[in-house]
Amino acid sequence: MLRRSPSLDVLLTLAILALMGALVLRFGEIESVTASGVVQVVDGDSLVLNGMRLRLQGIDAPELGQTCERVGKVFDCGRAARAKLRELIGGGHVECSGWQRDKYERLLSVCKSRTLELNREMVLSGWALAYGDFTAQERAARLARRGLWEGQFEQPQQWRRMRGALAEAPHDMWL
């Protein structure tokens, strides 16, 4: 049987403790932001709250001006997604929190209106795609043929890319 040196065990333990300490310090630097109030709905996944630009984290909705097809007819699915988000908010009070920023310096946020988590509800209603989170809700919307899934559409990221916008990585809560 091979025996390990006690000094090796001590060094390994110290290395693990140092790594854990560095992680604690790093996460201590992350500033969480919480804001609440009445929002301006920009599109199906973007808001302005108290002058702060927010992007709903973990989802991707059609862009304003993006069209889709349903029952052989073209419709403005970007405006429909924005209308759904407005409907979910209902003109009421919204509370948002987040700690990451996207490439446009918008705060990636989880937002709630009354008891509804807006990010989750937009995907579940079929008016936004899972973009790092909410894959089960997207699957449910797709199977029920709700929102975008009722017809044909181009994924918002692909639609933006075809029009020269910069690519954006999916954002989930753990990145």
Side-chain angles (χ1 to χ4, degrees):
M1 178 196 292
L2 290 176
R3 299 181 105 194
R4 285 196 324 223
S5 163
S7 60
L8 182 61
D9 288 344
V10 170
L11 284 174
L12 184 58
T13 301
L14 288 174
I16 291 171
L17 288 173
L19 179 61
M20 289 174 58
L23 287 172
V24 167
L25 287 174
R26 172 67 178 122
F27 283 114
E29 293 174 6
I30 297 172
E31 181 183 347
S32 183
V33 177
T34 300
S36 61
V38 177
V39 296
Q40 173 191 355
V41 178
V42 177
D43 60 25
D45 58 18
S46 303
L47 306 168
V48 176
L49 175 59
N50 301 332
M52 184 174 22
R53 296 175 339 131
L54 309 172
R55 167 78 189 269
L56 296 180
Q57 183 174 354
I59 76 171
D60 196 16
E63 298 295 324
L64 289 180
Q66 183 173 346
T67 57
C68 301
E69 190 177 314
R70 182 173 49 205
V71 194
K73 295 184 180 172
V74 173
F75 74 103
D76 192 336
C77 54
R79 291 195 189 284
R82 180 174 66 181
K84 181 61 179 182
L85 184 54
R86 283 180 175 157
E87 175 190 319
L88 290 170
I89 294 169
H93 186 85
V94 173
E95 185 173 315
C96 298
S97 62
W99 55 273
Q100 293 176 292
R101 298 214 176 251
D102 70 3
K103 65 182 178 181
Y104 300 110
E105 289 302 310
R106 297 175 297 188
L107 183 67
L108 293 173
S109 303
V110 174
C111 296
K112 294 181 179 181
S113 178
R114 299 174 307 279
T115 59
L116 296 177
E117 184 183 309
L118 299 173
N119 310 48
R120 179 179 312 281
E121 292 300 320
M122 283 298 290
V123 176
L124 193 56
S125 69
W127 289 107
L129 303 180
Y131 203 57
D133 285 330
F134 309 112
T135 54
Q137 290 78 13
E138 181 180 292
R139 186 173 32 261
R142 187 176 59 243
L143 290 172
R145 302 193 55 76
R146 289 190 289 257
L148 298 168
W149 301 104
E150 195 176 343
Q152 291 80 41
F153 64 94
E154 190 172 10
Q155 290 198 0
Q157 183 176 5
Q158 183 65 26
W159 189 89
R160 288 189 298 271
R161 189 178 300 124
M162 296 300 291
R163 283 148 187 82
L166 298 173
E168 182 178 16
H171 32 82
D172 65 26
M173 300 179 112
W174 308 111
L175 293 178

